[in-house]
Amino acid sequence: DQQVKQNSPSLSVQEGRISILNCDYTNSMFDYFLWYKKYPAEGPTFLISISSIKDKNEDGRFTVFLNKSAKHLSLHIVPSQPGDSAVYFCAARNSGGGADGLTFGKGTHLIIQP
Amino acid sequence: KAGVTQTPRYLIKTRGQQVTLSCSPISGHRSVSWYQQTPGQGLQFLFEYFSETQRNKGNFPGRFSGRQFSNSRSEMNVSTLELGDSALYLCASSLAPGRYQPQHFGDGTRLSIL
């Protein structure tokens, strides 16, 4: 079963507008959430993370929101730029004792249109 | 600051052979994790090493193994290769396996099995 789901395989947004990428999870033991960006032929690049004790974390143009009751998180990119076109992965982890590795969603391909 | 370095970038093997992949973490990072990425299954956790000890292991057969050296460099070995082992193998490092530590990825080794 997929514990981390990104239900939109692709998303097209105009340059300068807001991009919102969504992610749902089912495992209530997850307490650390991350977003990665991936270009073809490169490894994932860490963007931003949030722990379960927070509901928002901001870093420049990137903001991650966490809704624990809904088991949902989202990544907002404002304003969207052409270089943001990439595949975005949501990942989660149970950071407690005996922690597992990251569990990833299948990714959302973000396309920024000029 | 140098990132995570994986060698080789590309590898072609035949069924039944074995292969060893190498990963050098970011300087100062002591935790190394390995992931497999395939089109069907996405990114899946293989194992994590810290202080030369395997801390966690994902749901992969015993043909997949790894080790970590005293300088935190890590190797991953796959024995008796199968066609289904064709994938991108990614290594990630973090400062320590503690809570809320983001993992930083290398560009991966693309393994093709003929």
Side-chain angles (χ1 to χ4, degrees), chain B residues 45-66:
Chain B
F45 171 68
L46 279 157
F47 26 67
E48 179 180 29
Y49 285 87
F50 176 70
S51 291
E52 303 176 62
T53 302
Q54 186 180 94
R55 292 189 74 242
N56 301 294
K57 188 171 173 24
N59 190 23
F60 280 82
R63 301 185 296 106
F64 291 81
S65 63

Side-chain angles (χ1 to χ4, degrees), chain B residues 28-50:
Chain B
H29 284 196
R30 298 171 60 202
S31 177
V32 173
S33 298
W34 289 89
Y35 294 82
Q36 181 196 65
Q37 185 180 25
T38 59
Q41 298 299 318
L43 273 152
Q44 292 186 289
F45 171 68
L46 279 157
F47 26 67
E48 179 180 29
Y49 285 87
F50 176 70

Side-chain angles (χ1 to χ4, degrees), chain A residues 31-32 34 36 38 41-46 49-53 89 93-106, chain B residues 9-10 33 35 37 39-45 48 55-57 88 90 94 97-108:
Chain A
D31 61 353
Y32 184 48
L34 309 91
Y36 287 86
K38 188 178 185 303
E42 293 183 11
T45 300
F46 169 69
S49 63
I50 188 167
S51 66
S52 57
I53 59 173
F89 291 95
R93 179 170 188 162
N94 170 12
S95 297
D100 298 321
L102 295 174
T103 300
F104 282 85
K106 293 290 178 76
Chain B
R9 287 297 309 275
Y10 302 93
S33 298
Y35 294 82
Q37 185 180 25
Q41 298 299 318
L43 273 152
Q44 292 186 289
F45 171 68
E48 179 180 29
R55 292 189 74 242
N56 301 294
K57 188 171 173 24
L88 179 66
L90 290 159
S94 59
R99 289 180 178 268
Y100 315 142
Q101 291 285 340
Q103 295 183 4
H104 299 271
F105 285 82
D107 287 337

Side-chain angles (χ1 to χ4, degrees), chain B:
Chain B
K1 187 176 181 180
V4 177
T5 304
Q6 291 188 245
T7 57
R9 287 297 309 275
Y10 302 93
L11 207 47
I12 299 174
K13 292 286 187 179
T14 57
R15 279 182 298 172
Q17 287 186 309
Q18 74 164 20
V19 68
T20 299
L21 312 181
S22 180
C23 172
S24 293
I26 291 171
S27 177
H29 284 196
R30 298 171 60 202
S31 177
V32 173
S33 298
W34 289 89
Y35 294 82
Q36 181 196 65
Q37 185 180 25
T38 59
Q41 298 299 318
L43 273 152
Q44 292 186 289
F45 171 68
L46 279 157
F47 26 67
E48 179 180 29
Y49 285 87
F50 176 70
S51 291
E52 303 176 62
T53 302
Q54 186 180 94
R55 292 189 74 242
N56 301 294
K57 188 171 173 24
N59 190 23
F60 280 82
R63 301 185 296 106
F64 291 81
S65 63
R67 59 177 175 167
Q68 186 181 35
F69 303 94
S70 58
N71 61 359
S72 297
R73 193 177 69 84
S74 177
E75 288 182 348
M76 185 192 123
N77 186 76
V78 188
S79 62
T80 319
L81 286 165
E82 301 176 359
L83 291 176
D85 297 334
S86 293
L88 179 66
Y89 290 88
L90 290 159
C91 170
S93 73
S94 59
L95 281 169
R99 289 180 178 268
Y100 315 142
Q101 291 285 340
Q103 295 183 4
H104 299 271
F105 285 82
D107 287 337
T109 294
R110 171 74 62 184
L111 176 62
S112 299
I113 311 301
L114 304 180

